[in-house]
Amino acid sequence: MRTLEPIFEAIKKSAFRIQKAITDEDTDYSSQSNQSGDIQLKLDILSDLIIAEEFSYIPLIKAIASEEKEEEDILNPDGELCIAYDPLDGSSLIDVNLSVGSIFGIYDGEWDAKKMIAAVYVVYGPRLEMVTAYKGNVRHFIYRHERFRELEQIHIGEKGKLNGPGGTQQFWPTHHKQLIDTLFDEGYRLRYSGGMVPDLHQILLKGGGLFSYPGTTDKPNGKLRKLFEVFPFAYIYELAGGYAIDDKGGRLLELGCENPHDTSACFFGSKYEIDRVKEFYGATK
Ligand code: AHM
Ligand code: MG
């Protein structure tokens, strides 16, 4: 029977190696930029190489696609799984010593959200943590005394207290500003660091809330990439009992993806807040 254990083990090994690199290496920029036009840090490139190397030992993996590379890499033509990953999300926060993360989406045979079978993220913060969503469970691990130890499973509540609004307010549509202001008027607290991994992790662990990255006048389809960031977190939130929708009110996991670097407006949260999003966006789905 097919098992994803070797993949989870490879992610644990790369997490340990990347955390060490974050601690030991400097935060200089390289002379290269990625597909989205961001100038890459040397650490972005190194993290990408570490993950690609750990995955290269696993025959089950057919192809990998990284936020830091233009095209997919075929590892094993006879393999079954395709893995999309963002090796070091939020890396521009490292020089100010805020938390960052790695994100993985595991797809059965093709780059299609409907074929996602598991998703994983790693948080590099004061502590090293990993969350896996697979076969109905969202499992939470913490690295302590040289190994990952499992904590309680993660379930998001029906209504939270945190609000993480992404993007530049100057470019928000009016109805989005009204949504965010209304949540603050209801007592929600601002929790937005600029790193989607720790920001979404906080909302999950503190029982719920809303993380949003809307379409804006300068970026109508938002900033966050479907394959590497949006779909994996949509999978994790839904499995934890939460919701993940776009600005039309439909499930993110039902969206297509023509180009590996396509982006989408996205909203992740618990039931109450996602209902509010639909109300303010006039979403009918
Ligand atoms: P990156 O992949 O280039 O690091 O960008 C992704 C990050 C997310 O972690 C975060 O939610 C978002 O960009 C922040 O963007 P903004 O500063 O526009 O709110
Ligand atoms: Mg990213």
Side-chain angles (χ1 to χ4, degrees):
M1 210 183 78
R2 182 169 82 179
T3 167
L4 297 199
E5 267 325 301
I7 293 171
F8 297 143
E9 283 306 311
I11 292 174
K12 286 180 189 169
K13 277 189 203 156
S14 48
F16 176 73
R17 291 176 63 188
I18 291 170
Q19 198 203 30
K20 190 161 164 30
I22 292 170
T23 308
D24 292 346
E25 304 298 327
D26 59 41
T27 55
D28 290 354
Y29 282 94
S30 71
S31 52
Q32 303 173 34
S33 52
N34 67 14
Q35 187 64 12
S36 307
D38 308 320
I39 301 187
Q40 293 166 306
L41 292 177
K42 289 180 184 166
L43 271 171
D44 287 317
I45 298 168
L46 180 58
S47 304
D48 189 30
L49 288 173
I50 288 172
I51 293 169
E53 186 200 328
E54 294 295 346
F55 282 161
S56 72
Y57 305 124
I58 303 175
L60 187 61
I61 302 176
K62 177 170 131 185
I64 55 175
S66 161
E67 189 182 292
E68 300 304 333
K69 285 205 202 85
E70 192 173 341
E71 302 285 346
E72 66 175 348
D73 275 344
I74 303 293
L75 295 187
N76 302 291
D78 297 331
E80 293 174 28
L81 302 179
C82 298
I83 306 185
Y85 61 93
D86 182 350
L88 201 53
D89 182 76
S91 54
S92 65
L93 300 172
I94 292 175
D95 61 356
V96 290
N97 207 13
L98 285 174
S99 298
V100 294
S102 301
I103 311 166
F104 303 84
I106 303 170
Y107 301 82
D108 200 355
E110 51 186 304
W111 305 114
D112 177 350
K114 296 188 194 79
K115 298 274 185 157
M116 185 169 279
I117 57 163
V120 178
Y121 68 83
V122 174
V123 191
Y124 309 98
R127 312 194 297 187
L128 178 59
E129 293 182 55
M130 179 176 83
V131 171
T132 64
Y134 180 49
K135 285 196 169 167
N137 299 312
V138 182
R139 299 171 70 189
H140 183 195
F141 301 84
I142 183 164
Y143 189 80
R144 208 178 263 160
H145 299 296
E146 296 183 16
R147 70 178 180 89
F148 279 94
R149 291 155 200 272
E150 188 160 3
L151 304 173
E152 279 182 17
Q153 287 198 18
I154 297 177
H155 301 281
I156 195 168
E158 287 278 296
K159 179 180 188 309
K161 295 178 179 156
L162 307 183
N163 190 6
T168 309
Q169 291 199 31
Q170 185 189 5
F171 302 126
W172 285 354
T174 312
H175 53 280
H176 185 73
K177 173 131 181 62
Q178 285 164 349
L179 161 73
I180 298 301
D181 287 349
T182 301
L183 291 176
F184 285 132
D185 289 345
E186 289 178 14
Y188 280 76
R189 289 190 297 256
L190 174 64
R191 290 292 183 273
Y192 190 79
S193 72
M196 75 179 299
V197 176
D199 288 340
L200 282 160
H201 186 59
Q202 179 168 200
I203 290 170
L204 272 180
L205 292 193
K206 303 273 189 198
L210 179 69
F211 175 96
S212 50
Y213 205 109
T216 50
T217 48
D218 60 332
K219 291 177 187 157
N221 293 323
K223 171 185 181 185
L224 300 176
R225 297 95 181 162
K226 290 178 182 174
L227 222 52
F228 313 108
E229 296 164 325
V230 171
F231 292 160
F233 269 108
Y235 191 88
I236 293 163
Y237 262 63
E238 286 195 357
L239 215 55
Y243 296 81
I245 63 169
D246 69 0
D247 51 6
K248 317 269 181 318
R251 287 176 66 226
L252 290 165
L253 289 175
E254 283 176 17
L255 294 178
C257 187
E258 282 166 23
N259 181 290
H261 296 270
D262 280 354
T263 61
S264 172
C266 52
F267 303 83
F268 304 90
S270 18
K271 180 161 188 346
Y272 176 82
E273 295 83 8
I274 294 294
D275 284 346
R276 295 299 257 165
V277 174
K278 290 185 181 171
E279 189 186 322
F280 278 83
Y281 273 75
T284 48
K285 279 188 191 169

